Amino acid sequence: MKCRLAKKSDLLVLKELWYECFLEHDSKASIDYYFDNAFVLDTTFVLEVDNEIVTSLQLNQHDIVYNNKIESVSFVVGVATFNKHRKKGYMKVLLNYVIEYARKNYQQNYMILQAYDWNIYRPFNFKEAYYKKSVELSIADLSGINLIELIDYSSLSMLSIYQKYTENLNGYKKRDEVYFNEMKKMLEIDEMKIALSNEAYLYYQVEDNTLMISECAYNSWESVLQIIKTLNEKMQFEKVNVMVDTNNNLEGRKELFMMIRELNDKKFKIDEKLYISEFI
């Protein structure tokens, strides 16, 4: 049994691992795009048994703004074990290895992750940190809201809205124009779209006559409703589901979004101003 960094010769096996584990949640096209454009070998770890890769994960590197400082953090992604090797404790071995590796080599204070099963990570001292709210809106909620003219995609405009939206929040990812351009490509692969005004943006798709909004940033909540009403003029959906951060006062179902693992002695303060909206 051996834990190690991945090598270029591992890529085909790792892609097959992702196909086996993630096609239920992600499309083949999005996995292929990720491997072609965003997959980083230098932060990918594998566990071998008898010279065969059985499990893997990545520590994607991101900068967050926490307490008005830039903090480099590791996002744990791509946690996957081949079906025939599950329930043998292999991921536990690899996760313990990468936690210690990050502590020694990355000089970081925190590790962040999302999960399909949060309970798996609690024994590794990951704790609940970031939450979102799932809010249901009806067409009646748009009564009295004005229609607006949407503007063409602009990464600079989206960055400006995001920066203003997060200026009073904490723990959010530091984004730039390159980020939004790459996100646009990822959204297109997943058949999602961007709607943008001078005051707000949102990522959306329509499923079963419901407008599904996975992220929005705005100068005022009314500016989001204006975009929704403008979209409804053309698309005639029946309901709206929007994911918002917990700082929004709307009533909704609170959902755990990310967990934090402290790597050193520096504590991460869990407060109501935390916000993050990353998926990889």
Side-chain angles (χ1 to χ4, degrees), residues 47-108:
L47 173 64
E48 285 183 328
V49 176
D50 296 329
N51 297 316
E52 177 187 358
I53 292 175
V54 299
T55 188
S56 177
L57 62 80
Q58 290 185 286
L59 296 182
N60 282 357
Q61 301 300 294
H62 294 266
D63 288 336
I64 64 171
V65 181
Y66 178 60
N67 291 342
N68 298 313
K69 295 181 180 179
I70 303 297
E71 289 269 1
S72 173
V73 299
S74 292
F75 278 33
V76 181
V77 301
V79 179
T81 302
F82 280 110
N83 290 334
K84 65 181 180 180
H85 293 297
R86 291 182 179 178
K87 297 184 179 180
K88 298 179 181 179
Y90 292 143
M91 183 51 67
K92 178 180 179 180
V93 174
L94 183 59
L95 190 53
N96 280 327
Y97 174 84
V98 299
I99 289 171
E100 194 59 30
Y101 184 97
R103 193 199 314 274
K104 291 180 178 178
N105 294 279
Y106 291 163
Q107 297 181 336
Q108 295 173 336

Side-chain angles (χ1 to χ4, degrees), residues 62-198:
H62 294 266
D63 288 336
I64 64 171
V65 181
Y66 178 60
N67 291 342
N68 298 313
K69 295 181 180 179
I70 303 297
E71 289 269 1
S72 173
V73 299
S74 292
F75 278 33
V76 181
V77 301
V79 179
T81 302
F82 280 110
N83 290 334
K84 65 181 180 180
H85 293 297
R86 291 182 179 178
K87 297 184 179 180
K88 298 179 181 179
Y90 292 143
M91 183 51 67
K92 178 180 179 180
V93 174
L94 183 59
L95 190 53
N96 280 327
Y97 174 84
V98 299
I99 289 171
E100 194 59 30
Y101 184 97
R103 193 199 314 274
K104 291 180 178 178
N105 294 279
Y106 291 163
Q107 297 181 336
Q108 295 173 336
N109 294 309
Y110 312 111
M111 186 177 284
I112 299 176
L113 64 76
Q114 290 176 314
Y116 300 121
D117 184 354
W118 301 104
N119 290 325
I120 291 174
Y121 301 97
R122 290 188 173 97
F124 297 92
N125 294 320
F126 283 90
K127 61 185 181 181
E128 295 86 348
Y130 294 95
Y131 289 85
K132 280 192 171 185
K133 283 193 294 188
S134 177
V135 175
E136 302 289 341
L137 302 175
S138 68
I139 302 306
D141 294 320
L142 305 176
S143 177
I145 299 297
N146 294 326
L147 297 173
I148 59 171
E149 184 174 347
L150 300 179
I151 65 176
D152 292 335
Y153 170 80
S154 164
S155 58
L156 184 59
S157 296
M158 294 181 71
L159 176 61
S160 178
I161 293 168
Y162 177 80
Q163 289 175 332
K164 185 172 182 180
Y165 182 72
T166 56
E167 63 184 8
N168 294 317
L169 301 176
N170 202 13
Y172 57 89
K173 177 174 166 58
K174 187 177 185 296
R175 295 180 177 179
D176 55 22
E177 287 186 74
V178 173
Y179 171 92
F180 282 105
N181 286 329
E182 289 299 315
M183 181 55 65
K184 181 174 184 290
K185 296 175 186 176
M186 289 292 295
L187 292 171
E188 289 172 349
I189 290 170
D190 289 333
E191 300 182 339
M192 297 184 68
K193 298 180 180 180
I194 297 170
L196 175 64
S197 73
N198 291 318

Side-chain angles (χ1 to χ4, degrees), residues 19-32:
Y19 287 159
E20 184 174 296
C21 295
F22 301 133
L23 280 179
E24 180 182 352
H25 306 281
D26 300 298
S27 68
K28 183 177 182 296
S30 65
I31 291 174
D32 289 343

Side-chain angles (χ1 to χ4, degrees), residues 219-270:
N219 294 337
S220 69
W221 181 244
E222 184 177 358
S223 61
V224 174
L225 296 179
Q226 288 173 336
I227 293 179
I228 293 172
K229 185 165 185 176
T230 300
L231 291 174
N232 190 47
E233 283 294 298
K234 296 180 180 179
M235 306 172 76
Q236 296 296 302
F237 41 81
E238 297 177 358
K239 295 183 294 183
V240 179
N241 176 272
V242 55
M243 299 299 295
V244 298
D245 64 274
T246 53
N247 303 287
N248 187 303
N249 292 325
L250 290 171
E251 292 293 327
R253 184 178 71 253
K254 188 176 179 181
E255 300 177 3
L256 181 58
F257 189 67
M258 283 198 179
M259 300 178 87
I260 290 282
R261 210 290 189 177
E262 295 157 347
L263 296 176
N264 297 302
D265 294 332
K266 191 172 181 181
K267 299 299 182 182
F268 191 91
K269 183 180 179 182
I270 308 300

